[in-house]
């Protein structure tokens, strides 16, 4: 089995010294990587923030969870990422996604295209990114990007390229991840409400749904499945540290029903790879069980300090 890796997220804005202290604390606890999402909301831009975090640390990896392909040309992004990988001494991880938040596309006039088009664009963008990181000049002619005899500079430290993370909840994205990424994120499927805003497809966070997704990944990855790292994160609601896991799980079931209109049992909530409720001991056991049963070894935790004892016990094991 792969050793445990834990990621923590920069969830609020920090000044320079505050960010440096946060990153150093994550490193001292044993977190593998510090990540940041990529949205046009009240947050810092990913690349300069990650560069500052890398400069303040020695071992901590830095990455995105995840870049929105629609916001940047992949060849331009490749130059920034190769620079960041070199400045960090080879500690970059690249999370890449197809974009899911329609309102931020609308706000700046970027068309929010159908999912098939966005996934096709993401597929081409990954190929362009890998081409930019390769040693030789490359040419690419796709539906969304055209590259002609281009020798991108600089090249990243990590060869042939930094680890690429792609996640998803549907078969189309997970198939792409299985074929092109080194880290595959297990995510819920998303629906749309009457206002066009994303909504959680509650059944897709269950253990049974996750087992089905891993089956899709295994089928698409073929012989390289054993090389993949599987990641999960708490999309079923915030992680909760409690000695009343049963009561809190029932409350979470009620919250999900009110939010989505779907009734999941307390047992389905408790065993979900996307819900983490319990004591430090119970949650530690759950991470071990998820790795043993499903092969998931990478987890994004939503509170760096609260769950530090779990990371200190399991990271790298």
């Amino acid at each position: 089995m792969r050793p445990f890796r834990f990621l923590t997220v920069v969830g609020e804005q920090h000044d320079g010294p505050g960010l440096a202290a946060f990153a150093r604390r994550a490193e001292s606890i044993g977190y593998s990587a510090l990540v940041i999402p990529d949205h046009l909301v009240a947050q810092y831009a990913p690349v300069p923030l990650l560069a500052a975090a890398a400069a303040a640390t020695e071992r901590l990896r830095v990455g995105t969870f995840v870049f929105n392909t629609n916001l940047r040309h992949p060849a331009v992004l490749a130059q920034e990422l190769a620079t960041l990988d070199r400045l960090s001494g080879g500690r970059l991880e690249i999370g890449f996604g197809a974009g899911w938040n329609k309102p931020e596309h609308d706000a700046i006039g970027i068309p929010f295209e159908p999912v098939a088009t966005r996934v096709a664009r993401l597929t081409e963008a990954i190929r362009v990114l890998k081409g930019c990181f390769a040693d030789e000049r490359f040419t690419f002619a796709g539906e969304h990007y055209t590259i002609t005899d281009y020798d991108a500079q600089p090249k990243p430290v990590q060869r042939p390229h930094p680890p690429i993370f792609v996640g998803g909840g549907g078969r189309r994205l997970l198939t792409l991840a299985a074929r092109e990424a080194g880290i595959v994120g297990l995510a819920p499927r998303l629906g749309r409400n009457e206002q066009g805003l994303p909504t959680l497809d509650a059944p897709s966070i269950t253990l049974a749904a996750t087992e089905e997704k891993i089956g899709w990944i295994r089928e698409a990855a073929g012989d390289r499945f054993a090389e993949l790292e599987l990641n999960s994160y708490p999309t079923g609601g915030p992680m909760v540290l409690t000695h009343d896991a049963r009561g809190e799980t029932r409350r979470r079931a009620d919250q999900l029903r009110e939010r989505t209109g779907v009734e999941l049992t307390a047992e389905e909530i408790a065993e979900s790879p996307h819900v983490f409720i319990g004591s430090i001991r119970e949650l530690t056991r759950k991470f071990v069980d998820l790795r043993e049963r499903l092969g998931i070894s990478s987890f994004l935790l939503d509170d760096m300090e609260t769950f530090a004892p779990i990371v200190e016990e399991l990271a790298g094991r």
Side-chain angles (χ1 to χ4, degrees), residues 27-92:
E27 183 175 62
S28 71
I29 292 170
Y31 283 93
S32 173
L34 177 68
V35 299
I36 184 174
D38 181 30
H39 291 294
L40 296 175
V41 296
Q43 68 162 69
Y44 287 140
V47 172
L49 182 143
L50 296 176
T57 54
E58 297 179 356
R59 302 175 307 280
L60 188 70
R61 298 182 67 79
V62 295
T64 48
F65 207 95
V66 295
F67 277 119
N68 179 350
T69 306
N70 302 321
L71 301 183
R72 300 168 187 81
H73 191 290
V76 177
L77 183 61
Q79 184 183 47
E80 295 187 353
L81 295 180
T83 300
L84 179 52
D85 194 54
R86 295 189 71 86
L87 292 177
S88 67
R91 289 186 278 146
L92 175 66

Side-chain angles (χ1 to χ4, degrees), residues 208-227:
T210 305
E211 289 175 325
E212 181 182 38
K213 293 170 191 174
I214 294 174
W216 297 339
I217 296 166
R218 185 185 299 274
E219 179 182 345
D223 292 341
R224 69 186 299 266
F225 179 76
E227 303 171 12

